[in-house]
Amino acid sequence: MDQERPTQQEQPTEQKQIYDVVAEIFIGSMVSIMGLLVLITPLTTDMSEDSPWNPVFIDVSMGALYLIIGGYVLFRAWRRSKSGERETEN
Amino acid sequence: MVTLVATEWIAISVFLAGVLGFGLYLKGTITNTAELFLAGRSLPPWLQAFSTVATNLNANDFLGLAAFAYTFGIIVIGAPIGNMIAIVLATLLVIPFIRRLQAFSLGEWFNDRFDRPVGDAYDLIWTFIWMFVNMGLYIYAGALVLNTLLGWSLWVSITLVVVVGTIYTLLGGFGAVAGSDGVQFILMFIPLVLLVPISLSMVGGFSSLLEGLNDYQSTMVPAANPLGADFPFVGSTLNAVLLYLGIMALSASYWSSEAQILQRPLAARDERSAQLGYLYAAIWYALIVPVVILIPGLVAAVLFPNLETPDEAMPRLLAEALPPGLLGAAIVGLLAAVLSSVDSQLNAFQTFFTQRVYRQYFRPSSAEGHYVRVGRVVGVVFMVLTIGMAYVFSLQPLMFLFAQSILATIMPTFATLALLGGLWDRVTTKAALIGGIFGLVFSIILAFTLGHTALYPRALYTILATTIVIVVSSLLTSPNEGEVPTGFLRLMRENLDEAISPQVRRVAITVVAIGVVMFVGFVVLFDVIGGA
């Protein structure tokens, strides 16, 4: 039990990275688009004035937060794919 | 029902198109079963943790746990704290061994640690009973969200969940599962965090919240909570202590033996990564869930005290509290949550059926592509069959209670086997078989005699009784030839760093410390300050 069982399902490291990069691009894109849509909602919609908190402030701040997080995840994916390319070249 | 604005409809459309495109892209990368079922065993710890949390954040936590807090009060905090303890236990005693074996399921490790019948029994019960029940829960929970928020009929909602979930998962496999989990986690987390102060201000502050709750709902140590009615000492604090132990027993059962949850660490890069990913998920339970799920659940109990279905508490609160725009993002997060749970369960079923039933009993040595195709066909059949189970859930007053009740019948026995098998080398195959049969029969008898609401006493009694039977049987029987004990305790004594890596140890200690501080903090908040 101390050794890992050899199996035909083991993948090379380079191939394994595909899930990280593709998943991060998907997650980053989705979150960024949602952030953008939340951000522009106050421009395109009448915002109710009897909301518990200022709805425009909430949409602008949370939309911006989504954009920052989405952008960061996309940046991670870009950095990871760059480092993957360098490893392949070397 | 809420009226959505244009940007919210765009958000929903973009998300649905995005997940199908993502699944389609991943389809081209899948050539073998490890890629389809376990994302090529490549998940980093952070994505594994997101994926674990996201799987629970739909039916189990987001709707079910909030509805539980809505119905039974703040003592439900025992569930996330119990989850935290259970995750730490499983991280030490189960995860390293199943990941080291490169298994597809806990059953494979059972067959390695003990002998074949033990693991086979687990795989068959899991594949043909629990997974149908769980998928029914997920489909119904997803449909309920769409029904409550968008006003779509339950059957239209069920159809949408089934069709999109099936296509997405069958195309993209576990890689697609992890992708939707990540989107869901980020999109839902921000509205959830915001929901706490907004909902508290809606109810008039913390003191108004406490005033609006029933006596047993607002205390961490209720002398008489309906959940503890089947434990002895009703009317005394000891009853609450027993209830907490029961909650922890059920949590331990879930985190040590639930197939789709254990699939996350199995998809991790290596043993240490699997352990860290599991522990990161525990931080969510120790630190975040008590605040962002339970408090809103309690607020909903005060704001909407007469909901026909308590499971509607959280979607209803979101619709009331969030402005247009952010509500759309939260609905997309919920849709991702629905998909995340559905695709996880579907992927787990495909994995179990193909690897542990079809491959083992029917076609042991076909080409990898054949198993991938079989996985996709049985996935479609499974989804069609579970629609009936979703209908059964729609007839239950509290879906979480019903699902947990079935969980309390199946899981404690296997969790006891897993935890004892990982911890104590003396456990023999014969003892595991005797204990397994005893535990399942005992828990079924308890289910029929005590009923759904007594799920916590049933889980606790089953674990205690099964442990006694396994320990006594082990001392009276000798080991079989092929048993492979873990050597965990011996390694702990001889080389602690090898038994548990220093990094895993540090994270585990941090997680437990956070959980303890949160629990004490809530006692102070609800019973010291609130009781004064």
Side-chain angles (χ1 to χ4, degrees):
Chain A
M1 259 269 310
D2 289 342
Q3 287 176 342
E4 291 222 332
R5 186 173 61 177
T7 155
Q8 80 278 17
Q9 278 108 17
E10 279 295 279
Q11 304 300 309
T13 314
E14 180 190 317
Q15 203 173 337
K16 282 180 173 182
Q17 281 198 339
I18 189 171
Y19 286 103
D20 292 7
V21 176
V22 175
E24 283 178 354
I25 290 173
F26 173 67
I27 294 167
S29 309
M30 280 293 144
V31 173
S32 300
I33 293 169
M34 296 308 146
L36 200 62
L37 288 168
V38 173
L39 208 54
I40 63 167
T41 298
L43 301 175
T44 59
T45 310
D46 288 333
M47 304 300 276
S48 160
E49 288 184 5
D50 61 347
S51 301
W53 284 19
N54 184 334
V56 176
F57 171 75
I58 290 179
D59 269 1
V60 170
S61 52
M62 295 305 126
L65 194 55
Y66 278 139
L67 268 180
I68 292 168
I69 295 170
Y72 172 71
V73 177
L74 284 173
F75 172 71
R76 267 178 65 106
W78 174 78
R79 209 174 47 182
R80 200 189 291 272
S81 68
K82 280 285 168 197
S83 69
E85 275 174 24
R86 271 199 299 276
E87 274 172 26
T88 312
E89 282 167 16
N90 293 336
Chain B
M1 173 188 161
V2 294
T3 308
L4 297 187
V5 300
T7 48
E8 292 172 332
W9 283 116
I10 295 171
I12 292 171
S13 310
V14 166
F15 172 72
L16 290 177
V19 291
L20 292 178
F22 181 55
L24 209 56
Y25 175 82
L26 287 179
K27 183 174 184 282
T29 69
I30 293 169
T31 54
N32 67 38
T33 45
E35 282 168 352
L36 178 67
F37 302 135
L38 298 174
R41 298 193 198 274
S42 67
L43 290 189
W46 71 270
L47 195 52
Q48 182 200 327
F50 273 1
S51 186
T52 307
V53 169
T55 297
N56 282 309
L57 191 50
N58 169 27
N60 286 359
D61 294 349
F62 186 74
L63 296 178
L65 205 52
F68 239 42
Y70 175 96
T71 311
F72 299 112
I74 192 59
I75 194 164
V76 173
I77 194 177
I81 299 293
N83 284 347
M84 176 272 294
I85 295 169
I87 290 172
V88 172
L89 275 178
T91 299
L92 301 180
L93 299 178
V94 180
I95 302 300
F97 311 119
I98 56 173
R99 181 61 190 81
R100 201 177 295 166
L101 190 65
Q102 300 260 8
F104 276 91
S105 82
L106 183 66
E108 274 185 83
W109 177 61
F110 277 151
N111 281 346
D112 187 72
R113 168 66 185 85
F114 305 115
D115 219 336
R116 268 198 74 170
V118 182
D120 292 351
Y122 170 88
D123 285 337
L124 290 175
I125 288 175
W126 233 254
T127 308
F128 293 109
I129 298 177
W130 173 246
M131 288 195 185
F132 279 86
V133 173
N134 213 24
M135 183 58 107
L137 166 72
Y138 288 158
I139 292 172
Y140 171 65
L144 189 68
V145 167
L146 298 176
N147 174 260
T148 310
L149 284 176
L150 304 180
W152 297 348
S153 84
L154 204 59
W155 284 109
V156 169
S157 307
I158 285 175
T159 307
L160 186 83
V161 170
V162 169
V163 170
V164 176
T166 308
I167 294 174
Y168 176 60
T169 316
L170 296 190
L171 288 175
F174 194 83
V177 175
S180 70
D181 287 350
V183 172
Q184 175 217 339
F185 187 85
I186 297 170
L187 286 183
M188 282 186 70
F189 184 67
I190 290 173
L192 278 179
V193 170
L194 208 59
L195 194 60
V196 178
I198 294 181
S199 61
L200 275 175
S201 72
M202 283 166 75
V203 83
F206 188 71
S207 52
S208 303
L209 170 67
L210 289 181
E211 283 166 21
L213 293 169
N214 293 333
D215 285 346
Y216 69 82
Q217 283 178 318
S218 60
T219 171
M220 295 277 288
V221 278
N225 188 298
L227 280 177
D230 291 287
F231 276 121
F233 312 115
V234 175
S236 118
T237 308
L238 204 53
N239 183 263
V241 174
L242 286 173
L243 180 52
Y244 278 120
L245 287 176
I247 293 172
M248 278 175 203
L250 196 59
S251 298
S253 305
Y254 183 78
W255 292 94
S256 302
S257 67
E258 214 287 335
Q260 63 168 336
I261 290 301
L262 288 176
Q263 212 175 350
R264 269 87 193 131
L266 289 176
R269 285 176 176 151
D270 51 43
E271 194 180 313
R272 192 176 58 90
S273 179
Q275 288 181 294
L276 287 175
Y278 225 49
L279 286 174
Y280 292 162
I283 294 174
W284 165 264
Y285 282 103
L287 190 62
I288 312 291
V289 169
V291 179
V292 303
I293 307 255
L294 300 189
I295 297 288
L298 293 176
V299 170
V302 178
L303 290 178
F304 327 114
N306 301 314
L307 284 181
E308 204 173 303
T309 312
D311 296 316
E312 289 175 3
M314 194 57 141
R316 176 85 186 269
L317 191 64
L318 271 184
E320 297 275 337
L322 297 184
L326 189 60
L327 177 63
I331 291 174
V332 170
L334 273 170
L335 281 176
V338 169
L339 274 185
S340 159
S341 299
V342 169
D343 58 25
S344 302
Q345 190 59 76
L346 174 53
N347 189 262
F349 176 79
Q350 290 176 281
T351 308
F352 267 60
F353 185 87
T354 310
Q355 298 299 117
R356 305 290 298 137
V357 179
Y358 184 75
R359 195 168 204 156
Q360 195 165 329
Y361 298 109
F362 298 100
R363 294 278 287 271
S365 54
S366 288
E368 280 292 297
H370 174 74
Y371 297 115
V372 171
R373 279 195 301 280
V374 167
R376 288 185 172 136
V377 171
V378 298
V380 174
V381 175
F382 174 68
M383 288 301 282
V384 171
L385 292 178
T386 50
I387 292 174
M389 201 65 224
Y391 176 70
V392 173
F393 272 99
S394 74
L395 304 175
Q396 306 300 321
L398 257 175
M399 64 173 179
F400 191 63
L401 184 68
F402 181 66
Q404 296 282 304
S405 172
I406 295 172
L407 190 149
T409 312
I410 304 172
M411 291 191 197
T413 302
F414 287 110
T416 311
L417 283 177
L419 291 171
L420 270 182
L423 182 70
W424 193 38
D425 288 353
R426 186 69 183 80
V427 180
T428 65
T429 299
K430 295 180 194 81
L433 277 171
I434 294 167
I437 293 166
F438 167 82
L440 286 173
V441 172
F442 184 65
S443 64
I444 289 170
I445 292 170
L446 286 181
F448 279 105
T449 50
L450 297 179
H452 288 321
T453 325
L455 72 161
Y456 295 123
R458 282 162 42 204
L460 184 62
Y461 298 158
T462 303
I463 284 189
L464 290 176
T466 308
T467 301
I468 292 169
V469 168
I470 292 175
V471 168
V472 172
S473 307
S474 295
L475 294 173
L476 296 175
T477 55
S478 51
N480 281 12
E481 276 280 309
E483 290 176 15
V484 186
T486 63
F488 179 74
L489 286 179
R490 176 182 48 79
L491 202 58
M492 282 265 286
R493 283 193 300 270
E494 292 170 2
N495 188 342
L496 183 61
D497 284 356
E498 206 181 314
I500 312 167
S501 83
Q503 189 183 7
V504 169
R505 230 164 41 223
R506 273 197 304 276
V507 178
I509 291 168
T510 308
V511 164
V512 173
I514 292 171
V516 170
V517 169
M518 286 300 287
F519 187 81
V520 172
F522 268 71
V523 170
V524 170
L525 201 59
F526 279 84
D527 288 279
V528 179
I529 299 172

